Amino acid sequence: QAKDFVREVKAITAPTIRMFINSPGGSVFDAITMFNALAQTGKTLEVHVLGIAASAASYLAMVGNKVVMPDNTFMFLHNPINGVYGNAEDMREMADVLDKIGASLTATYAKRFKGDEQALKDILAAESYLSAADCLKHGLCDEVTPAIETTAKFDADHVPEAVRAVAFTSSSMIRSISVLMSFQMALFPP
């Protein structure tokens, strides 16, 4: 909820706010509220995209004084959308509302965007997934860092003895392989 976010932002006493985003988006009005609450703090705002800043979350990322994206992350930008139930007049009215919202959002993106306004409008109209490199090129982020390296590790010594007795016996491995092969056969018959 935007109101909870605003309350929590107001409670921050540090001079720098670091916001980490991995979001498919949400309500444009919540994003605008959150954006304005952050902008009004007067604090240094660092935005870090950890996976994707999509839709309303890409708009929220624009609040950053600095926007950082690892090279394997994305933003997804599009014009505002809405579902409407009603008659033709309701549809026309909603189209006008979406145009107003779109103009407001575009103006915010344009403050960071490197390029002409038509290029930005084309990106929004195309419902575009932008890589970190694309975002840097267009001014939507300030820095692209290397992808965060992760390593998966499985240490059988930390598995409880009772689990090891069942999981790591040759008969349970054979059962697992047999179940997997049966599953594959069901999905991909010869």
Side-chain angles (χ1 to χ4, degrees):
Q1 294 263 11
K3 68 179 182 175
D4 297 330
F5 182 88
V6 170
R7 185 181 65 253
E8 291 175 18
V9 165
K10 286 181 178 179
I12 297 172
T13 59
T16 300
I17 296 175
R18 288 179 187 87
M19 181 170 57
F20 297 86
I21 297 176
N22 182 39
S23 174
S27 163
V28 68
F29 295 114
D30 281 350
I32 291 169
T33 301
M34 296 161 77
F35 181 102
N36 289 333
L38 286 163
Q40 291 174 359
T41 65
K43 298 177 184 298
T44 301
L45 304 170
E46 287 182 18
V47 173
H48 298 264
V49 177
L50 296 181
I52 189 164
S55 191
S58 70
Y59 175 83
L60 184 56
M62 298 299 100
V63 76
N65 302 107
K66 181 177 184 182
V67 179
V68 179
M69 297 177 69
D71 63 15
N72 62 346
T73 62
F74 292 85
M75 283 193 192
F76 175 66
L77 281 69
H78 64 89
N79 284 321
I81 57 174
N82 197 350
V84 179
Y85 175 82
N87 60 34
E89 202 51 44
D90 296 326
M91 303 289 174
R92 281 189 274 284
E93 182 181 332
M94 181 50 67
D96 291 341
V97 169
L98 289 173
D99 287 343
K100 288 177 187 177
I101 296 167
S104 174
L105 300 176
T106 301
T108 300
Y109 287 116
K111 290 176 184 172
R112 293 189 62 97
F113 192 77
K114 293 179 184 171
D116 63 35
E117 186 176 346
Q118 188 57 50
L120 174 58
K121 286 181 178 182
D122 291 346
I123 287 170
L124 290 164
E127 299 184 347
S128 304
Y129 282 92
L130 302 176
S131 68
D134 295 333
C135 289
L136 184 64
K137 175 180 132 187
H138 293 302
L140 301 175
C141 77
D142 303 295
E143 182 181 347
V144 175
T145 60
I148 299 167
E149 294 291 326
T150 61
T151 303
K153 182 179 178 186
F154 180 80
D155 187 350
D157 293 338
H158 291 94
V159 175
E161 186 61 40
V163 173
R164 258 190 280 155
V166 173
F168 300 125
T169 63
S170 60
S171 62
S172 66
M173 287 180 161
I174 291 169
R175 263 194 316 275
S176 297
I177 291 169
S178 175
V179 168
L180 179 59
M181 289 177 70
S182 297
F183 182 67
Q184 279 184 314
M185 292 299 286
L187 288 177
F188 308 106

